[in-house]
Amino acid sequence: MAEAGTGFLEQLKSCIVWSWTYLWTLWFFIMLFLVYILRVPLKINDNLTTVSMFLNTLTPKFYVALTGTSSLISGLILVSTTSINITLEFDFDIQNCISGFMQINRYLFFFCKLSFAAHKIYSLCVCLLLTECKVWRNPLNLFRGAEYNRYTWVTGREPLTYYDMNLSAQDHQTFFTCDTDHLRPADAIMQKAWRERNPQARISAAHEALELNECATAYILLAEEEATTIVEAEKLFKQALKAGEGCYRRSQQLQHHGAQYEAQHRRDTNVLVYIKRRLAMCARKLGRTREAVKMMRDLMKEFPLLSMFNIHENLLEALLELQAYADVQAVLAKYDDISLPKSATICYTAALLKARAVSDKFSPEAASRRGLSTAEMNAVEAIHRAVEFNPHVPKYLLEMKSLILPPEHILKRGDSEAIAYAFFHLQHWKRVEGALNLLHCTWEGTFRMIPYPLEKGHLFYPYPICTETADRELLPSFHEVSVYPKKELPFFILFTAGLCSFTAMLALLTHQFPELMGVFAKAFLSTLFAPLNFVMEKVESILPSSLWHQLTRI
């Protein structure tokens, strides 16, 4: 019953908040209607005539003073924004755009003295220029044939969107093709296969290429899309590794003979790295975690410059599975650097390690009495840092939202990245005793430190406003996309604003139409007290008159 009552109150509160959020236009039109009805008593026409006469009597000195004031305000805004630009290290092009916006602001201020509103519009324009929603390849993406397609067979729903698969097709054409493919029949067939939209056509083209030659990219396609189990995919990747190593050795000897040979060697390098990484992922999925860790370490040593594959995130997940927390810390020390791009895996893994040191003994009641210790403060700050980077992850880790299969591409700081991280790392958080409890008690405190509106961040750049649109393209339609938590006004403020508006409206109507409002008030009060009067009459008829007389005397 208590839960039902709480749920009803929450629904009532949400309805009132919704009404004040979206029905403000109704109040606006009501006020316009009242102004129109009361235009004669309020003498609006006479007031407008007086204002127009006042404006006609203004001298040129007034306009000169207005222009000087607006220029002064524009100069102050220019100085403040210049200091912000220096702090955030904007590039030259954005600074030129800001200069253009400042020229526009000068003209705006010439006609309007609403400096606060103009500054908000300016800030929004700058944020739009700074927003960049770059989509990244998911380093832990699943296998289409062995995992995504099996989900489709069981549920009948497509886990991947057309936009996501189209990005994968572009990645395959970038990594697995080069300009000299037309010189080799098998590679020419595969170059067309990567552009095919029909999966069966791609698989048929791969088989056709293998009939002509041992083609590494053909084996990759079959392992990704035709193999129905991880074991089958691993066998095909081993065949691809044998063919890919041969091509890599041959192109390595010829890479300095010209631009075409260099492009072919770059393609063969990408193919070899991709195969080895997927073989390591197969070993991880089949339970051979130590073997997978060794393969990833060897791959990172052999090709240290190919950071675009983000192999260190695969390594972090495998080390967490082994509970090798010292090795995880060593990897974080190398990649959790201020000069390197961040990710949810980096930030939340760092938070997990710091939470691990205090989570087993953490108690909110004890912390509120004695305060946080240094280790607990470090853990809370790490959680706040991670939540600021991606605020969508905690709901998945705390199982407040249901997980789906992660997409093949993710948007950093978006819902897609949160799903990809929680899908693989939820088990690691559950394994650390008390870690999820510490996260549950502290993650919402992050938003108290972030300025509102989101014109700047606390530890990172302001949260981009385009993530919701990009995530809707990456995630399937049956998933409810998580959005940035909105800082809503307290319910008391909304209730007070509504009560004040209603009282002001009644006061205005009573002042203009006292007799009519008196009749309305009497009718309203009589209607309101009609049930009470009815109950009192029934009570009087039932109770003896002597008893009622004694009660009235008391």
Side-chain angles (χ1 to χ4, degrees), residues 3 73 119 136 188 206 229 239 252 416 508:
E3 294 180 356
I73 297 174
H119 182 259
W136 299 72
T229 63
Q239 293 177 279
Q252 190 177 24
S416 53
L508 179 61

Side-chain angles (χ1 to χ4, degrees), residues 388-426:
E388 182 182 353
F389 182 82
N390 193 317
H392 311 291
V393 173
K395 288 189 176 182
Y396 293 106
L397 292 179
L398 299 173
E399 298 182 271
M400 301 167 64
K401 286 195 68 176
S402 58
L403 277 172
I404 61 172
L405 294 185
E408 293 184 339
H409 290 80
I410 59 174
L411 182 67
K412 287 193 174 182
R413 307 186 74 177
D415 190 30
S416 53
E417 185 191 32
I419 292 172
Y421 173 79
F423 186 85
F424 293 98
H425 289 260
L426 175 58

Side-chain angles (χ1 to χ4, degrees), residues 12-169:
L12 180 62
K13 176 183 175 182
S14 62
C15 291
I16 296 176
V17 172
W18 177 86
S19 65
W20 281 99
T21 304
Y22 298 100
L23 299 183
W24 61 269
T25 53
L26 179 62
W27 289 97
F28 178 74
F29 285 116
I30 290 176
M31 296 303 297
L32 287 181
F33 178 74
L34 287 176
V35 170
Y36 177 76
I37 294 296
L38 303 176
R39 65 187 185 280
V40 176
L42 295 177
K43 300 180 181 180
I44 294 179
N45 293 331
D46 297 341
N47 292 332
L48 291 177
T49 303
T50 305
V51 170
S52 62
M53 292 176 60
F54 173 74
L55 293 176
N56 291 331
T57 57
L58 292 176
T59 62
K61 294 181 179 180
F62 171 79
Y63 294 102
V64 172
L66 180 62
T67 304
T69 305
S70 61
S71 300
L72 176 62
I73 297 174
S74 300
L76 294 175
I77 296 176
L78 177 61
V79 171
S80 62
T81 50
T82 303
S83 62
I84 295 174
N85 296 342
I86 295 174
T87 304
L88 297 180
E89 298 181 353
F90 290 163
D91 57 16
F92 179 73
D93 294 334
I94 296 178
Q95 289 182 8
N96 287 340
C97 294
I98 292 175
S99 301
F101 279 124
M102 289 311 304
Q103 294 295 332
I104 295 174
N105 276 341
R106 289 192 181 94
Y107 291 107
L108 288 175
F109 275 104
F110 178 79
F111 295 104
C112 181
K113 293 191 295 181
L114 300 176
S115 59
F116 181 77
H119 182 259
K120 293 299 179 184
I121 295 173
Y122 164 78
S123 301
L124 177 61
C125 295
V126 173
C127 289
L128 290 175
L129 284 175
L130 292 177
T131 301
E132 180 185 6
C133 290
K134 182 179 180 181
V135 177
W136 299 72
R137 182 82 177 175
N138 183 5
L140 294 168
N141 65 308
L142 306 178
F143 294 84
R144 283 196 189 179
E147 292 172 308
Y148 287 121
N149 287 348
R150 294 181 69 177
Y151 176 83
T152 304
W153 298 336
V154 173
T155 63
R157 296 191 294 188
E158 290 290 341
L160 297 177
T161 62
Y162 173 77
Y163 176 69
D164 192 14
M165 292 188 290
N166 185 47
L167 291 175
S168 297

